[in-house]
Amino acid sequence: MSALSGPFLPLLVRREHASLSVKLIAPPMALALATLLNLGLYLLMGRDPVAIFHAMLLEPFLSWASFSEVLLKTGPLLLVAQGLAIGFRAKVFNIGAEGQFILGAIFASAIPVWFPQATGQWIWPSMLVIGALGGALWASLTAFWRVKLNANEILVSLMLALVAAQLLNYLLLGPWKDPNGFNFPQSVMFQYDAMVPILIPGTRVNVSLLVACAFSLGAWVFMQRSFAGYKLQVGGLAPRAAGYAGFNEGRAIWLSLLVGGFAAGLAGAAEVAGPLGQLQRSISTGYGYAAIIVAYLGGLHPVGIVFSALLMAALYIGGDNAMVSANLPVAAVRVFQGSLLLAYLVAIAFVRYRLEWRHAAHASTP
Amino acid sequence: MNAVEFIIAGMLAAATPFLLAALGELVAERAGVLNLGVEGLMALGAVIAFIIVYQGGGHLLGFLAAGLASAALSLVFAVVALGFRANQVATGLAIGILGQGLSALFGKSFESLTVKGLPKLSLPWLSDIPVIGGLFSQDIVVWLSLAATVAIWAVFAYTKTGLVIRAVGENPKAARALGYPVIAVRFAAVAFGGALAGFAGAYAAVVYTPLWADGMIAGRGWIAIALVVFGTWLASRIFLGACLFGAVSLASLAAQTTGLDVSSQLLSSLPYLVTIVVLGIISSNRRLLKLNGVASLGEPFEP
């Protein structure tokens, strides 16, 4: 390339076979790289990188109390990311999971908000179902826009996420505001039966983690073992071939978005019916966006995503720790997330390419 | 001043962040690169400009530093997406998250502080016309943005540089065969787009609403990306689209101050809803998109 000078040029040369070993070590390499970069940043900010490293990446695993919080956060991230990964593999980029999450939370909250006196074991399961449907409904708008109107799903789903945040504000400041809530933008506290039962006694980990694991298993069966999942992946890898084979592109888009919206809505419902116990402004701390990173970091593979969801959950908890113990601004977690995804994207380049140093004279003849 | 005069007078200023960012994205997309990190690039530019202006560095330095910082971040995008041939969608999202994170990090101790904006420069005679006179009284950045719009339009319409950028975006293999450095052109286009996104963020933070609040870009970077589609990759139409969004955001502001009985959340989501509707209308005309679209948009180039 004429832009580069010097006798030797680094060149990415396509491998004959994708390297599985690189694929497996790419996530830990990316984590190491992102950690180094961010510790450097903390050093520049005049913070103690060792203390932050300890608080952020070790502490979440050092006590059962904080690890149980990691598990609690793993649930929503795992759910949303599994749903998104299915779409991403079909090259359907639903990046508005945040909005579908919010709609799930709103739909689920409708039951305890409208029927605060209701009792019975049916309440929390129906909240999860209605929440999931709400998320799928919100995502179906994007699918309609994409399939019928040919509109870019990235932009539409993101815009709908911004609209969803306003819708949540509207409900919490208006019709759904708790009349005895001292004017805080939050709904009434939900009744006992509207809460997902606790899974591990003594912690806040609830049954929704099992739901997320079941969904992961379902995603694995669907993507790795079913014909519908296969068709979806072919559509993503070779859209023309998929077209010749008669695989319907519109159906793939609908399926991707509905599954993604369903999972995100379910996660949103589980959040209000779980650790929060009410609808509030901060129902999602960016789960919908973080889940995009989780999906990629897990190699868009249902098994990989289980590990990356755990890691991302630990980062959330670790970020909170570092905020308390090392006075690290909460925005540092977002910086870490962004740089982690970048580092991963660089690392997986080596799955398909290897670096070769060639003499400039030969570099121009690939 | 009534609502109509208010909108006419303020429309161009409100449009400027959209316009600058969309023009930058236009150049990158024309070269075949889809950079979805605009929101983060704007957020970074905004905070850098705000900090410099707040500390007394002045608006010129603030804008320059914002442009440089965002161009640097967009070069990170270029290294990962073009150098390492990573998925451009994922890389753009990562840059967006990183930029917004850095913005929040740097801006933490400036929350709710204010700076002074820029004075308006009025065109003689024209700015005295009733009703539409306000249109001709704008700050220097608005005037420069209009000039930039014309310049970018002219570059693509009349110059060889514009032709090379389009060739690289349309058919990179052929462009390379003709001897053009595809990757270098794309790097330059991305850096240029990054700098404009930085200026856009700077304008939002130190001129249009000279007050620092985390998340102040509020989706404007995403709307800018949508504007490139609305404008079917033409600078002139992107300008019209930016004016539409300037007017929409002012209209919702005007409605809020006149005490119209519409929920403020509905008004705040108006720009997003308009984006969704217009995107549907424009995109459903497949011929229009095909005619002006960029053939290799978002695809990695392997020499």
Side-chain angles (χ1 to χ4, degrees):
Chain A
M1 212 99 337
S2 58
L4 302 167
S5 56
F8 283 96
L9 290 174
L11 213 66
L12 288 180
V13 181
R14 204 175 246 286
R15 292 178 195 270
E16 300 231 337
H17 301 285
S19 164
L20 181 67
S21 54
V22 175
K23 205 170 183 174
L24 290 176
I25 62 162
M29 289 296 287
L31 179 62
L33 184 61
T35 305
L36 274 178
L37 285 173
N38 281 277
L39 291 183
L41 178 70
Y42 306 148
L43 202 62
L44 284 178
M45 288 165 56
R47 306 291 162 83
D48 177 8
V50 179
I52 294 177
F53 178 80
H54 187 266
M56 221 169 154
L57 293 167
L58 296 182
E59 250 172 45
F61 300 99
L62 292 183
S63 77
W64 172 238
S66 51
F67 186 68
S68 74
E69 287 295 299
V70 172
L71 287 178
L72 181 69
K73 286 241 186 260
T74 304
L77 287 169
L78 184 57
L79 261 175
V80 184
Q82 293 288 14
L84 289 183
I86 290 174
F88 289 172
R89 284 178 85 162
K91 294 248 159 60
V92 178
F93 295 106
N94 168 15
I95 61 164
E98 185 81 359
Q100 295 139 25
F101 183 97
I102 291 174
L103 261 286
I106 290 175
F107 268 62
S109 302
I111 297 181
V113 167
W114 285 336
F115 308 103
Q117 310 298 336
T119 52
Q121 277 299 304
W122 57 271
I123 296 181
W124 68 265
S126 20
M127 282 169 71
L128 293 190
V129 171
I130 289 175
L133 293 179
L137 191 72
W138 201 244
S140 72
L141 291 174
T142 303
F144 181 85
W145 246 252
R146 168 73 202 270
V147 173
K148 293 290 172 206
L149 304 177
N150 190 36
N152 181 309
E153 79 278 13
I154 299 174
L155 294 170
V156 175
S157 62
L158 187 99
M159 288 296 141
L160 284 171
L162 299 175
V163 174
Q166 294 296 336
L167 180 63
L168 176 68
N169 280 342
Y170 166 75
L171 288 172
L172 293 178
L173 293 167
W176 284 13
K177 186 165 71 179
D178 180 4
N180 306 316
F182 305 102
N183 231 9
F184 279 112
Q186 54 194 32
S187 76
V188 291
M189 288 301 290
F190 298 167
Q191 64 268 41
Y192 179 77
D193 283 336
M195 305 293 286
V196 181
I198 294 294
L199 181 67
I200 307 172
T203 71
R204 300 201 292 162
V205 181
N206 61 45
V207 170
S208 67
L209 183 64
L210 283 187
V211 176
C213 291
F215 191 89
S216 302
L217 187 67
W220 182 80
V221 171
F222 177 73
M223 288 313 275
Q224 313 299 130
R225 290 286 176 268
S226 82
F227 186 53
Y230 172 75
K231 284 201 287 195
L232 215 56
Q233 291 184 49
V234 174
L237 290 171
R240 272 199 200 152
Y244 294 138
F247 301 167
N248 186 325
E249 194 203 2
R251 197 175 297 163
I253 294 166
W254 273 103
L255 187 69
S256 299
L257 277 157
L258 288 180
V259 170
F262 183 91
L266 187 57
E271 204 61 12
V272 286
L276 299 179
Q278 67 182 157
L279 190 65
Q280 25 169 278
R281 244 181 194 172
S282 56
I283 43 171
S284 167
T285 35
Y287 288 135
Y289 302 114
I292 298 172
I293 301 173
V294 172
Y296 275 106
L297 206 61
L300 301 183
H301 191 284
V303 177
I305 289 171
V306 173
F307 292 99
S308 57
L310 257 173
L311 170 69
M312 188 61 74
L315 262 181
Y316 267 109
I317 301 300
D320 286 349
N321 289 343
M323 189 171 68
V324 176
S325 66
N327 192 26
L328 190 72
V330 79
V333 173
R334 269 150 88 198
V335 174
F336 201 109
Q337 289 175 344
S339 45
L340 182 59
L341 180 53
L342 282 176
Y344 175 74
L345 290 169
V346 170
I348 45 152
F350 295 99
V351 173
R352 282 181 299 136
Y353 302 99
R354 58 198 158 75
L355 208 55
E356 214 168 77
W357 295 83
R358 285 197 196 168
H359 206 269
H362 302 290
S364 56
T365 48
Chain B
M1 197 190 275
N2 64 29
V4 175
E5 283 177 55
F6 172 74
I7 291 172
I8 289 177
M11 183 180 70
L12 285 178
T16 296
F18 296 116
L19 178 64
L20 284 172
L23 287 175
E25 181 69 10
L26 168 71
V27 173
E29 290 196 14
R30 270 284 177 213
V33 186
L34 179 66
N35 183 356
L36 293 180
V38 181
E39 182 84 6
L41 295 170
M42 281 178 77
L44 181 67
V47 77
I48 298 286
F50 189 89
I51 291 173
I52 287 180
V53 172
Y54 184 80
Q55 313 246 340
H59 280 76
L60 181 62
L61 191 65
F63 269 85
L64 288 179
L68 271 178
S70 299
L73 186 58
S74 70
L75 280 176
V76 175
F77 168 87
V79 166
V80 177
L82 306 176
F84 288 95
R85 295 169 207 163
N87 179 325
Q88 291 184 11
V89 171
T91 314
L93 292 175
I95 290 292
I97 294 169
L98 182 60
Q100 291 179 67
L102 288 172
S103 173
L105 198 61
F106 297 154
K108 195 175 173 257
S109 45
F110 295 86
E111 192 71 28
S112 304
L113 295 177
T114 56
V115 294
K116 239 171 106 59
L118 283 174
K120 298 249 189 276
L121 305 175
S122 306
L123 294 184
W125 308 109
L126 289 172
S127 53
D128 297 330
I129 305 174
V131 184
I132 62 161
L135 198 57
F136 303 100
S137 180
Q138 307 288 345
D139 59 72
I140 176 107
V141 184
V142 172
W143 294 125
L144 288 175
S145 305
L146 295 179
T149 311
V150 176
I152 287 172
W153 166 78
V155 163
F156 281 119
Y158 295 116
T159 69
K160 192 181 167 195
T161 311
L163 210 60
V164 170
I165 295 175
R166 294 177 64 162
V168 162
E170 227 29 66
N171 190 339
K173 289 233 158 83
R176 186 187 143 90
L178 288 171
Y180 295 116
V182 172
I183 298 292
V185 169
R186 288 187 169 178
F187 261 77
V190 167
F192 181 83
L196 281 197
F199 294 153
Y203 186 80
V206 299
V207 184
Y208 186 59
T209 43
L211 167 138
W212 183 252
D214 183 29
M216 67 164 326
I217 299 302
R220 279 181 280 189
W222 288 102
I223 293 178
I225 297 172
L227 271 175
V228 180
V229 182
F230 295 174
T232 58
W233 292 271
L234 296 173
S236 50
R237 291 187 194 163
I238 287 174
F239 171 72
L240 292 179
C243 287
L244 168 74
F245 275 91
V248 167
S249 37
L250 278 181
S252 60
L253 209 66
Q256 265 159 330
T257 49
T258 53
L260 207 68
D261 191 27
V262 183
S263 92
S264 70
Q265 288 80 28
L266 178 64
L267 290 170
S268 303
S269 42
L270 204 58
Y272 315 137
L273 293 171
V274 171
T275 306
I276 294 168
V277 170
V278 180
L279 206 55
I281 294 170
I282 304 258
S283 305
S284 57
N285 188 342
R286 286 166 201 257
R287 230 188 93 250
L288 188 70
L289 287 199
K290 223 172 187 143
L291 203 65
N292 295 300
V294 180
S296 76
L297 186 63
E299 287 168 17
F301 176 62
E302 301 196 20

